[in-house]
Structures are given as structure tokens and as C-alpha cells.
Amino acid sequence: MPDTANALLRQYVKLTEFLGAALGPDYEVALHDLTDKNRSIIAIANGYISGREIGAPLTNMALSVLKDESYEWQDYRLHYSGVSAAGNALRSSTMFIKEDGKLIGMLCINFDDSRFQSFAQQVLTLCHPNQFVQALEQPPEGEHDSRPETFRNSTEAVAQDAIAHELERLGVPAKRLTSEERLLIIAALEESGIFLLKGAVKDVAAGLGCSQASVYRYLSQVKK
């Protein structure tokens, strides 16, 4: 039994194992205990889908939920995009586990339908022109607008992902950032919830090529 003091979450451990076995090898099921955000996964089934193990940290999506407190008016979030360890698109859903109104955990299901997509495309090519098949493969309008959920086994990797996303968005390498651009990135990282992770300031400082004191100074400016 994983090391969690919460009796309610201990009941979800067997449910995690059961769902992983019942849904099959294309479904990953992960249980998060929010007591330790840096090592939040206390149970996981079919973890090869995301490449994670017990002790992996919260994802960028989970951190954003904590930051915007959307769990207060939602009991779950359905069918958002994720990316598997192999780079396949995932369809992800999360249930918020609450006790007396307080969020204590998350039960997440990540579905990798790449095997079925490949089979469907092969069938379609038999009966439709290539142009029709290519049109079906285009993502729905607006799907490019949101960042997919990514899965990592360390908080350092979570921070690096977030920094890389912001650098790509600005189109500037870290070594050429101006003070104003660093401030914009720190503001975006703060909004995303990265600094809810212990040690995130150190990881962000390393990723942006500045001191930890500078990151704290930027955070102070953002909060003002």
C-alpha cells in the first residue's frame, strides 16, 4: 500500500489497479495525492503510456487546476489533450477527489488511441481518396490554441517543459532574453502554477540563465 495518510485516498489505490486492468493496455490510470506535489503519484496502472512511475510529480495541467482553483466548481475535467511518452496524442480526463470541500487528490485516465487511429486510417485509404483522409486527420478548430498535458518523472523536467514552451512562444533563446522578456516568462510560469512545486525557483533560474535572487525579484514584480 502506498504511503499516504489519507484513508479516502487509500480506497482509490485498488480502484486505480482495477480500472487499469478492466479498461485495458491503452488506458493509463494515475492517482495523485496532493500532500506532496513533487512526488504526487501514489498509484499508477499501465504507466508505460506516459513513462511515469510512483513518485512522479504533478503535471502542467494539474498545476494549472490548483492555480486557477477550477476544482471548486468542477468535479472533473473531460477529454483534454495529452502527449504520451512515445509522442502519441492522448485523450485525458481527471476526477477531482475532495474531502469536506478540500481537494486532496486527482484520479486521471489517459487513453492512447494511436493503434485504433492507425487501423482506421488504413481502412479509410481503401475506400476514399487521400485528400479526404487528410482532411479527417486535421484537428478540430481551436485545438492548437491550448497546450497539451505533458507527463514527466521529475519536477526539474516539468519546469524545463514549461520554460521551453514559453521560449518557443517568444521565439527567443534563453541566452538572449531581455529583462522584460524574462519578466513575461516568469509571469506566465507563475500563472501556470509551476512555482507550487518545491525547488521550482532553482530550476527556473537555471533554465533562464539567471540567479535565483533574480527569479524572486521578478516574482515580486509580478505579484505587485
Side-chain angles (χ1 to χ4, degrees), residues 179 182-183 185-187 189-190 194-206 208-224:
S179 295
R182 282 200 184 91
L183 180 61
I185 290 176
I186 295 294
L189 294 177
E190 163 66 11
I194 285 296
F195 294 105
L196 294 174
L197 297 173
K198 293 178 182 177
V201 168
K202 178 186 69 174
D203 295 331
V204 169
L208 295 181
C210 62
S211 68
Q212 294 183 49
S214 295
V215 174
Y216 281 117
R217 186 173 67 252
Y218 286 127
L219 279 171
S220 178
Q221 290 179 256
V222 169
K223 291 175 181 178
K224 288 179 181 178

PDB file of all heavy atoms in Angstrom, residues 179 182-183 185-187 189-190 194-206 208-224:
ATOM      1  N   SER A 179      15.509  41.655 -19.904  1.00  0.00           N
ATOM      2  CA  SER A 179      14.862  41.652 -18.591  1.00  0.00           C
ATOM      3  C   SER A 179      13.348  41.647 -18.732  1.00  0.00           C
ATOM      4  O   SER A 179      12.631  40.969 -17.974  1.00  0.00           O
ATOM      5  CB  SER A 179      15.305  42.881 -17.788  1.00  0.00           C
ATOM      6  OG  SER A 179      16.684  42.826 -17.506  1.00  0.00           O
ATOM      7  N   ARG A 182      12.247  38.155 -19.688  1.00  0.00           N
ATOM      8  CA  ARG A 182      12.294  37.252 -18.526  1.00  0.00           C
ATOM      9  C   ARG A 182      11.093  37.499 -17.614  1.00  0.00           C
ATOM     10  O   ARG A 182      10.500  36.553 -17.077  1.00  0.00           O
ATOM     11  CB  ARG A 182      13.593  37.452 -17.745  1.00  0.00           C
ATOM     12  CG  ARG A 182      14.803  36.786 -18.357  1.00  0.00           C
ATOM     13  CD  ARG A 182      15.911  36.604 -17.339  1.00  0.00           C
ATOM     14  NE  ARG A 182      17.108  36.038 -17.957  1.00  0.00           N
ATOM     15  CZ  ARG A 182      18.088  36.742 -18.470  1.00  0.00           C
ATOM     16  NH1 ARG A 182      18.044  38.063 -18.436  1.00  0.00           N
ATOM     17  NH2 ARG A 182      19.131  36.149 -19.017  1.00  0.00           N
ATOM     18  N   LEU A 183      10.733  38.752 -17.447  1.00  0.00           N
ATOM     19  CA  LEU A 183       9.586  39.080 -16.608  1.00  0.00           C
ATOM     20  C   LEU A 183       8.302  38.486 -17.190  1.00  0.00           C
ATOM     21  O   LEU A 183       7.466  37.954 -16.449  1.00  0.00           O
ATOM     22  CB  LEU A 183       9.445  40.605 -16.485  1.00  0.00           C
ATOM     23  CG  LEU A 183       8.275  41.107 -15.632  1.00  0.00           C
ATOM     24  CD1 LEU A 183       8.406  40.603 -14.197  1.00  0.00           C
ATOM     25  CD2 LEU A 183       8.217  42.634 -15.654  1.00  0.00           C
ATOM     26  N   ILE A 185       8.082  35.818 -19.046  1.00  0.00           N
ATOM     27  CA  ILE A 185       8.126  34.367 -18.860  1.00  0.00           C
ATOM     28  C   ILE A 185       7.820  33.997 -17.411  1.00  0.00           C
ATOM     29  O   ILE A 185       7.042  33.071 -17.143  1.00  0.00           O
ATOM     30  CB  ILE A 185       9.498  33.813 -19.290  1.00  0.00           C
ATOM     31  CG1 ILE A 185       9.642  33.909 -20.810  1.00  0.00           C
ATOM     32  CG2 ILE A 185       9.668  32.360 -18.828  1.00  0.00           C
ATOM     33  CD1 ILE A 185      10.999  33.472 -21.323  1.00  0.00           C
ATOM     34  N   ILE A 186       8.403  34.722 -16.472  1.00  0.00           N
ATOM     35  CA  ILE A 186       8.141  34.445 -15.053  1.00  0.00           C
ATOM     36  C   ILE A 186       6.657  34.637 -14.745  1.00  0.00           C
ATOM     37  O   ILE A 186       6.055  33.849 -14.004  1.00  0.00           O
ATOM     38  CB  ILE A 186       8.986  35.370 -14.153  1.00  0.00           C
ATOM     39  CG1 ILE A 186      10.482  35.083 -14.326  1.00  0.00           C
ATOM     40  CG2 ILE A 186       8.581  35.217 -12.683  1.00  0.00           C
ATOM     41  CD1 ILE A 186      10.920  33.722 -13.856  1.00  0.00           C
ATOM     42  N   ALA A 187       6.045  35.659 -15.327  1.00  0.00           N
ATOM     43  CA  ALA A 187       4.611  35.897 -15.119  1.00  0.00           C
ATOM     44  C   ALA A 187       3.785  34.731 -15.646  1.00  0.00           C
ATOM     45  O   ALA A 187       2.833  34.278 -14.996  1.00  0.00           O
ATOM     46  CB  ALA A 187       4.189  37.199 -15.800  1.00  0.00           C
ATOM     47  N   LEU A 189       4.837  31.616 -16.075  1.00  0.00           N
ATOM     48  CA  LEU A 189       5.110  30.443 -15.245  1.00  0.00           C
ATOM     49  C   LEU A 189       4.357  30.530 -13.917  1.00  0.00           C
ATOM     50  O   LEU A 189       3.842  29.522 -13.414  1.00  0.00           O
ATOM     51  CB  LEU A 189       6.609  30.318 -14.990  1.00  0.00           C
ATOM     52  CG  LEU A 189       7.494  30.028 -16.212  1.00  0.00           C
ATOM     53  CD1 LEU A 189       8.959  30.016 -15.812  1.00  0.00           C
ATOM     54  CD2 LEU A 189       7.105  28.712 -16.860  1.00  0.00           C
ATOM     55  N   GLU A 190       4.293  31.716 -13.351  1.00  0.00           N
ATOM     56  CA  GLU A 190       3.549  31.909 -12.109  1.00  0.00           C
ATOM     57  C   GLU A 190       2.072  31.596 -12.317  1.00  0.00           C
ATOM     58  O   GLU A 190       1.435  30.908 -11.507  1.00  0.00           O
ATOM     59  CB  GLU A 190       3.728  33.353 -11.625  1.00  0.00           C
ATOM     60  CG  GLU A 190       2.722  33.827 -10.580  1.00  0.00           C
ATOM     61  CD  GLU A 190       2.835  33.102  -9.256  1.00  0.00           C
ATOM     62  OE1 GLU A 190       3.818  32.375  -9.040  1.00  0.00           O
ATOM     63  OE2 GLU A 190       1.924  33.262  -8.428  1.00  0.00           O
ATOM     64  N   ILE A 194       3.692  26.661 -11.845  1.00  0.00           N
ATOM     65  CA  ILE A 194       4.991  25.988 -11.725  1.00  0.00           C
ATOM     66  C   ILE A 194       5.611  26.207 -10.345  1.00  0.00           C
ATOM     67  O   ILE A 194       6.240  25.306  -9.772  1.00  0.00           O
ATOM     68  CB  ILE A 194       5.965  26.487 -12.820  1.00  0.00           C
ATOM     69  CG1 ILE A 194       5.596  25.877 -14.169  1.00  0.00           C
ATOM     70  CG2 ILE A 194       7.413  26.136 -12.485  1.00  0.00           C
ATOM     71  CD1 ILE A 194       5.729  24.370 -14.218  1.00  0.00           C
ATOM     72  N   PHE A 195       5.417  27.389  -9.785  1.00  0.00           N
ATOM     73  CA  PHE A 195       6.088  27.700  -8.513  1.00  0.00           C
ATOM     74  C   PHE A 195       5.386  27.072  -7.310  1.00  0.00           C
ATOM     75  O   PHE A 195       5.809  27.283  -6.165  1.00  0.00           O
ATOM     76  CB  PHE A 195       6.209  29.219  -8.350  1.00  0.00           C
ATOM     77  CG  PHE A 195       7.127  29.834  -9.372  1.00  0.00           C
ATOM     78  CD1 PHE A 195       6.620  30.552 -10.443  1.00  0.00           C
ATOM     79  CD2 PHE A 195       8.497  29.645  -9.292  1.00  0.00           C
ATOM     80  CE1 PHE A 195       7.453  31.096 -11.396  1.00  0.00           C
ATOM     81  CE2 PHE A 195       9.347  30.187 -10.246  1.00  0.00           C
ATOM     82  CZ  PHE A 195       8.828  30.916 -11.302  1.00  0.00           C
ATOM     83  N   LEU A 196       4.328  26.272  -7.559  1.00  0.00           N
ATOM     84  CA  LEU A 196       3.750  25.467  -6.490  1.00  0.00           C
ATOM     85  C   LEU A 196       4.635  24.266  -6.162  1.00  0.00           C
ATOM     86  O   LEU A 196       4.485  23.645  -5.110  1.00  0.00           O
ATOM     87  CB  LEU A 196       2.350  24.974  -6.900  1.00  0.00           C
ATOM     88  CG  LEU A 196       1.277  26.047  -7.082  1.00  0.00           C
ATOM     89  CD1 LEU A 196      -0.006  25.425  -7.637  1.00  0.00           C
ATOM     90  CD2 LEU A 196       0.992  26.759  -5.762  1.00  0.00           C
ATOM     91  N   LEU A 197       5.554  23.941  -7.066  1.00  0.00           N
ATOM     92  CA  LEU A 197       6.479  22.830  -6.855  1.00  0.00           C
ATOM     93  C   LEU A 197       7.702  23.295  -6.060  1.00  0.00           C
ATOM     94  O   LEU A 197       8.250  24.357  -6.337  1.00  0.00           O
ATOM     95  CB  LEU A 197       6.948  22.265  -8.198  1.00  0.00           C
ATOM     96  CG  LEU A 197       5.878  21.654  -9.102  1.00  0.00           C
ATOM     97  CD1 LEU A 197       6.471  21.309 -10.461  1.00  0.00           C
ATOM     98  CD2 LEU A 197       5.271  20.419  -8.460  1.00  0.00           C
ATOM     99  N   LYS A 198       8.120  22.503  -5.098  1.00  0.00           N
ATOM    100  CA  LYS A 198       9.317  22.826  -4.328  1.00  0.00           C
ATOM    101  C   LYS A 198      10.540  22.754  -5.240  1.00  0.00           C
ATOM    102  O   LYS A 198      10.680  21.824  -6.028  1.00  0.00           O
ATOM    103  CB  LYS A 198       9.479  21.841  -3.171  1.00  0.00           C
ATOM    104  CG  LYS A 198       8.405  21.954  -2.106  1.00  0.00           C
ATOM    105  CD  LYS A 198       8.601  20.908  -1.026  1.00  0.00           C
ATOM    106  CE  LYS A 198       7.499  20.985   0.023  1.00  0.00           C
ATOM    107  NZ  LYS A 198       7.639  19.919   1.058  1.00  0.00           N
ATOM    108  N   GLY A 199      11.415  23.730  -5.119  1.00  0.00           N
ATOM    109  CA  GLY A 199      12.632  23.748  -5.923  1.00  0.00           C
ATOM    110  C   GLY A 199      12.448  24.349  -7.298  1.00  0.00           C
ATOM    111  O   GLY A 199      13.396  24.400  -8.084  1.00  0.00           O
ATOM    112  N   ALA A 200      11.218  24.822  -7.621  1.00  0.00           N
ATOM    113  CA  ALA A 200      10.970  25.351  -8.959  1.00  0.00           C
ATOM    114  C   ALA A 200      11.779  26.611  -9.233  1.00  0.00           C
ATOM    115  O   ALA A 200      12.208  26.839 -10.366  1.00  0.00           O
ATOM    116  CB  ALA A 200       9.474  25.637  -9.139  1.00  0.00           C
ATOM    117  N   VAL A 201      12.003  27.436  -8.230  1.00  0.00           N
ATOM    118  CA  VAL A 201      12.772  28.669  -8.429  1.00  0.00           C
ATOM    119  C   VAL A 201      14.178  28.339  -8.923  1.00  0.00           C
ATOM    120  O   VAL A 201      14.691  28.968  -9.854  1.00  0.00           O
ATOM    121  CB  VAL A 201      12.827  29.496  -7.130  1.00  0.00           C
ATOM    122  CG1 VAL A 201      13.859  30.616  -7.248  1.00  0.00           C
ATOM    123  CG2 VAL A 201      11.455  30.077  -6.812  1.00  0.00           C
ATOM    124  N   LYS A 202      14.797  27.336  -8.320  1.00  0.00           N
ATOM    125  CA  LYS A 202      16.147  26.928  -8.736  1.00  0.00           C
ATOM    126  C   LYS A 202      16.130  26.423 -10.184  1.00  0.00           C
ATOM    127  O   LYS A 202      17.001  26.774 -10.987  1.00  0.00           O
ATOM    128  CB  LYS A 202      16.664  25.833  -7.810  1.00  0.00           C
ATOM    129  CG  LYS A 202      18.052  25.314  -8.189  1.00  0.00           C
ATOM    130  CD  LYS A 202      18.462  24.135  -7.324  1.00  0.00           C
ATOM    131  CE  LYS A 202      17.620  22.910  -7.651  1.00  0.00           C
ATOM    132  NZ  LYS A 202      18.074  21.699  -6.931  1.00  0.00           N
ATOM    133  N   ASP A 203      15.141  25.609 -10.514  1.00  0.00           N
ATOM    134  CA  ASP A 203      15.066  25.047 -11.873  1.00  0.00           C
ATOM    135  C   ASP A 203      14.789  26.131 -12.911  1.00  0.00           C
ATOM    136  O   ASP A 203      15.351  26.112 -14.012  1.00  0.00           O
ATOM    137  CB  ASP A 203      13.958  23.986 -11.940  1.00  0.00           C
ATOM    138  CG  ASP A 203      14.256  22.777 -11.069  1.00  0.00           C
ATOM    139  OD1 ASP A 203      15.449  22.483 -10.863  1.00  0.00           O
ATOM    140  OD2 ASP A 203      13.303  22.131 -10.592  1.00  0.00           O
ATOM    141  N   VAL A 204      13.922  27.079 -12.567  1.00  0.00           N
ATOM    142  CA  VAL A 204      13.612  28.167 -13.492  1.00  0.00           C
ATOM    143  C   VAL A 204      14.829  29.065 -13.687  1.00  0.00           C
ATOM    144  O   VAL A 204      15.128  29.496 -14.807  1.00  0.00           O
ATOM    145  CB  VAL A 204      12.403  28.980 -12.984  1.00  0.00           C
ATOM    146  CG1 VAL A 204      12.230  30.269 -13.790  1.00  0.00           C
ATOM    147  CG2 VAL A 204      11.129  28.141 -13.077  1.00  0.00           C
ATOM    148  N   ALA A 205      15.537  29.349 -12.611  1.00  0.00           N
ATOM    149  CA  ALA A 205      16.745  30.175 -12.719  1.00  0.00           C
ATOM    150  C   ALA A 205      17.766  29.527 -13.659  1.00  0.00           C
ATOM    151  O   ALA A 205      18.360  30.197 -14.507  1.00  0.00           O
ATOM    152  CB  ALA A 205      17.357  30.386 -11.332  1.00  0.00           C
ATOM    153  N   ALA A 206      17.949  28.218 -13.515  1.00  0.00           N
ATOM    154  CA  ALA A 206      18.892  27.507 -14.379  1.00  0.00           C
ATOM    155  C   ALA A 206      18.432  27.542 -15.832  1.00  0.00           C
ATOM    156  O   ALA A 206      19.228  27.740 -16.750  1.00  0.00           O
ATOM    157  CB  ALA A 206      19.047  26.062 -13.906  1.00  0.00           C
ATOM    158  N   LEU A 208      16.536  29.771 -17.320  1.00  0.00           N
ATOM    159  CA  LEU A 208      16.531  31.116 -17.902  1.00  0.00           C
ATOM    160  C   LEU A 208      17.908  31.779 -17.850  1.00  0.00           C
ATOM    161  O   LEU A 208      18.072  32.909 -18.311  1.00  0.00           O
ATOM    162  CB  LEU A 208      15.509  31.995 -17.177  1.00  0.00           C
ATOM    163  CG  LEU A 208      14.043  31.588 -17.328  1.00  0.00           C
ATOM    164  CD1 LEU A 208      13.143  32.563 -16.579  1.00  0.00           C
ATOM    165  CD2 LEU A 208      13.641  31.510 -18.798  1.00  0.00           C
ATOM    166  N   GLY A 209      18.891  31.098 -17.261  1.00  0.00           N
ATOM    167  CA  GLY A 209      20.238  31.647 -17.214  1.00  0.00           C
ATOM    168  C   GLY A 209      20.369  32.861 -16.324  1.00  0.00           C
ATOM    169  O   GLY A 209      21.090  33.815 -16.658  1.00  0.00           O
ATOM    170  N   CYS A 210      19.685  32.835 -15.183  1.00  0.00           N
ATOM    171  CA  CYS A 210      19.792  33.947 -14.230  1.00  0.00           C
ATOM    172  C   CYS A 210      19.894  33.379 -12.823  1.00  0.00           C
ATOM    173  O   CYS A 210      19.815  32.170 -12.623  1.00  0.00           O
ATOM    174  CB  CYS A 210      18.596  34.894 -14.357  1.00  0.00           C
ATOM    175  SG  CYS A 210      16.998  34.143 -13.980  1.00  0.00           S
ATOM    176  N   SER A 211      20.052  34.240 -11.835  1.00  0.00           N
ATOM    177  CA  SER A 211      20.186  33.780 -10.457  1.00  0.00           C
ATOM    178  C   SER A 211      18.816  33.535  -9.830  1.00  0.00           C
ATOM    179  O   SER A 211      17.798  34.043 -10.308  1.00  0.00           O
ATOM    180  CB  SER A 211      20.940  34.826  -9.629  1.00  0.00           C
ATOM    181  OG  SER A 211      20.143  35.998  -9.499  1.00  0.00           O
ATOM    182  N   GLN A 212      18.815  32.768  -8.747  1.00  0.00           N
ATOM    183  CA  GLN A 212      17.568  32.550  -8.015  1.00  0.00           C
ATOM    184  C   GLN A 212      17.056  33.871  -7.432  1.00  0.00           C
ATOM    185  O   GLN A 212      15.839  34.093  -7.375  1.00  0.00           O
ATOM    186  CB  GLN A 212      17.782  31.525  -6.904  1.00  0.00           C
ATOM    187  CG  GLN A 212      18.105  30.130  -7.421  1.00  0.00           C
ATOM    188  CD  GLN A 212      18.243  29.120  -6.300  1.00  0.00           C
ATOM    189  OE1 GLN A 212      17.387  29.032  -5.417  1.00  0.00           O
ATOM    190  NE2 GLN A 212      19.339  28.348  -6.328  1.00  0.00           N
ATOM    191  N   ALA A 213      17.972  34.725  -7.023  1.00  0.00           N
ATOM    192  CA  ALA A 213      17.567  36.031  -6.490  1.00  0.00           C
ATOM    193  C   ALA A 213      16.822  36.829  -7.553  1.00  0.00           C
ATOM    194  O   ALA A 213      15.839  37.530  -7.251  1.00  0.00           O
ATOM    195  CB  ALA A 213      18.793  36.796  -6.013  1.00  0.00           C
ATOM    196  N   SER A 214      17.261  36.716  -8.810  1.00  0.00           N
ATOM    197  CA  SER A 214      16.575  37.426  -9.898  1.00  0.00           C
ATOM    198  C   SER A 214      15.167  36.892 -10.094  1.00  0.00           C
ATOM    199  O   SER A 214      14.226  37.654 -10.316  1.00  0.00           O
ATOM    200  CB  SER A 214      17.367  37.277 -11.205  1.00  0.00           C
ATOM    201  OG  SER A 214      18.624  37.915 -11.104  1.00  0.00           O
ATOM    202  N   VAL A 215      15.017  35.558 -10.006  1.00  0.00           N
ATOM    203  CA  VAL A 215      13.680  34.969 -10.151  1.00  0.00           C
ATOM    204  C   VAL A 215      12.758  35.481  -9.049  1.00  0.00           C
ATOM    205  O   VAL A 215      11.614  35.851  -9.306  1.00  0.00           O
ATOM    206  CB  VAL A 215      13.758  33.428 -10.124  1.00  0.00           C
ATOM    207  CG1 VAL A 215      12.349  32.820 -10.133  1.00  0.00           C
ATOM    208  CG2 VAL A 215      14.544  32.912 -11.324  1.00  0.00           C
ATOM    209  N   TYR A 216      13.267  35.525  -7.816  1.00  0.00           N
ATOM    210  CA  TYR A 216      12.449  36.048  -6.704  1.00  0.00           C
ATOM    211  C   TYR A 216      12.089  37.516  -6.941  1.00  0.00           C
ATOM    212  O   TYR A 216      10.973  37.949  -6.634  1.00  0.00           O
ATOM    213  CB  TYR A 216      13.201  35.892  -5.378  1.00  0.00           C
ATOM    214  CG  TYR A 216      13.154  34.493  -4.801  1.00  0.00           C
ATOM    215  CD1 TYR A 216      14.322  33.753  -4.638  1.00  0.00           C
ATOM    216  CD2 TYR A 216      11.943  33.923  -4.420  1.00  0.00           C
ATOM    217  CE1 TYR A 216      14.287  32.469  -4.111  1.00  0.00           C
ATOM    218  CE2 TYR A 216      11.903  32.638  -3.883  1.00  0.00           C
ATOM    219  CZ  TYR A 216      13.073  31.916  -3.738  1.00  0.00           C
ATOM    220  OH  TYR A 216      13.020  30.651  -3.219  1.00  0.00           O
ATOM    221  N   ARG A 217      13.028  38.273  -7.490  1.00  0.00           N
ATOM    222  CA  ARG A 217      12.744  39.689  -7.774  1.00  0.00           C
ATOM    223  C   ARG A 217      11.667  39.832  -8.837  1.00  0.00           C
ATOM    224  O   ARG A 217      10.758  40.649  -8.712  1.00  0.00           O
ATOM    225  CB  ARG A 217      14.045  40.399  -8.200  1.00  0.00           C
ATOM    226  CG  ARG A 217      13.865  41.912  -8.364  1.00  0.00           C
ATOM    227  CD  ARG A 217      15.194  42.611  -8.621  1.00  0.00           C
ATOM    228  NE  ARG A 217      15.767  42.236  -9.907  1.00  0.00           N
ATOM    229  CZ  ARG A 217      16.829  41.458 -10.053  1.00  0.00           C
ATOM    230  NH1 ARG A 217      17.454  40.971  -8.990  1.00  0.00           N
ATOM    231  NH2 ARG A 217      17.307  41.170 -11.255  1.00  0.00           N
ATOM    232  N   TYR A 218      11.771  39.012  -9.905  1.00  0.00           N
ATOM    233  CA  TYR A 218      10.742  39.042 -10.943  1.00  0.00           C
ATOM    234  C   TYR A 218       9.378  38.638 -10.388  1.00  0.00           C
ATOM    235  O   TYR A 218       8.350  39.232 -10.716  1.00  0.00           O
ATOM    236  CB  TYR A 218      11.124  38.100 -12.087  1.00  0.00           C
ATOM    237  CG  TYR A 218      12.244  38.604 -12.973  1.00  0.00           C
ATOM    238  CD1 TYR A 218      13.361  37.807 -13.212  1.00  0.00           C
ATOM    239  CD2 TYR A 218      12.186  39.845 -13.573  1.00  0.00           C
ATOM    240  CE1 TYR A 218      14.398  38.250 -14.031  1.00  0.00           C
ATOM    241  CE2 TYR A 218      13.217  40.291 -14.398  1.00  0.00           C
ATOM    242  CZ  TYR A 218      14.315  39.494 -14.610  1.00  0.00           C
ATOM    243  OH  TYR A 218      15.332  39.923 -15.423  1.00  0.00           O
ATOM    244  N   LEU A 219       9.374  37.604  -9.523  1.00  0.00           N
ATOM    245  CA  LEU A 219       8.109  37.167  -8.921  1.00  0.00           C
ATOM    246  C   LEU A 219       7.487  38.272  -8.080  1.00  0.00           C
ATOM    247  O   LEU A 219       6.265  38.441  -8.078  1.00  0.00           O
ATOM    248  CB  LEU A 219       8.356  35.921  -8.062  1.00  0.00           C
ATOM    249  CG  LEU A 219       8.444  34.579  -8.797  1.00  0.00           C
ATOM    250  CD1 LEU A 219       8.897  33.486  -7.837  1.00  0.00           C
ATOM    251  CD2 LEU A 219       7.103  34.240  -9.423  1.00  0.00           C
ATOM    252  N   SER A 220       8.327  38.989  -7.370  1.00  0.00           N
ATOM    253  CA  SER A 220       7.835  40.113  -6.574  1.00  0.00           C
ATOM    254  C   SER A 220       7.178  41.173  -7.461  1.00  0.00           C
ATOM    255  O   SER A 220       6.111  41.709  -7.134  1.00  0.00           O
ATOM    256  CB  SER A 220       8.979  40.717  -5.768  1.00  0.00           C
ATOM    257  OG  SER A 220       8.542  41.831  -5.033  1.00  0.00           O
ATOM    258  N   GLN A 221       7.802  41.448  -8.614  1.00  0.00           N
ATOM    259  CA  GLN A 221       7.234  42.416  -9.565  1.00  0.00           C
ATOM    260  C   GLN A 221       5.905  41.905 -10.104  1.00  0.00           C
ATOM    261  O   GLN A 221       4.938  42.680 -10.241  1.00  0.00           O
ATOM    262  CB  GLN A 221       8.207  42.653 -10.721  1.00  0.00           C
ATOM    263  CG  GLN A 221       9.462  43.416 -10.334  1.00  0.00           C
ATOM    264  CD  GLN A 221      10.384  43.591 -11.534  1.00  0.00           C
ATOM    265  OE1 GLN A 221      11.391  42.914 -11.672  1.00  0.00           O
ATOM    266  NE2 GLN A 221      10.019  44.502 -12.417  1.00  0.00           N
ATOM    267  N   VAL A 222       5.835  40.610 -10.427  1.00  0.00           N
ATOM    268  CA  VAL A 222       4.610  40.025 -10.973  1.00  0.00           C
ATOM    269  C   VAL A 222       3.466  40.144  -9.970  1.00  0.00           C
ATOM    270  O   VAL A 222       2.348  40.528 -10.321  1.00  0.00           O
ATOM    271  CB  VAL A 222       4.836  38.544 -11.339  1.00  0.00           C
ATOM    272  CG1 VAL A 222       3.510  37.850 -11.640  1.00  0.00           C
ATOM    273  CG2 VAL A 222       5.760  38.438 -12.548  1.00  0.00           C
ATOM    274  N   LYS A 223       3.748  39.840  -8.715  1.00  0.00           N
ATOM    275  CA  LYS A 223       2.697  39.866  -7.703  1.00  0.00           C
ATOM    276  C   LYS A 223       2.236  41.266  -7.371  1.00  0.00           C
ATOM    277  O   LYS A 223       1.125  41.470  -6.886  1.00  0.00           O
ATOM    278  CB  LYS A 223       3.206  39.154  -6.446  1.00  0.00           C
ATOM    279  CG  LYS A 223       3.381  37.648  -6.664  1.00  0.00           C
ATOM    280  CD  LYS A 223       4.010  36.946  -5.471  1.00  0.00           C
ATOM    281  CE  LYS A 223       4.186  35.467  -5.763  1.00  0.00           C
ATOM    282  NZ  LYS A 223       4.837  34.749  -4.637  1.00  0.00           N
ATOM    283  N   LYS A 224       3.105  42.243  -7.640  1.00  0.00           N
ATOM    284  CA  LYS A 224       2.693  43.637  -7.420  1.00  0.00           C
ATOM    285  C   LYS A 224       1.788  44.120  -8.534  1.00  0.00           C
ATOM    286  O   LYS A 224       1.074  45.099  -8.388  1.00  0.00           O
ATOM    287  CB  LYS A 224       3.929  44.525  -7.314  1.00  0.00           C
ATOM    288  CG  LYS A 224       4.701  44.353  -6.025  1.00  0.00           C
ATOM    289  CD  LYS A 224       5.926  45.250  -5.989  1.00  0.00           C
ATOM    290  CE  LYS A 224       6.718  45.053  -4.693  1.00  0.00           C
ATOM    291  NZ  LYS A 224       7.945  45.882  -4.651  1.00  0.00           N
TER     292      LYS A 224
END
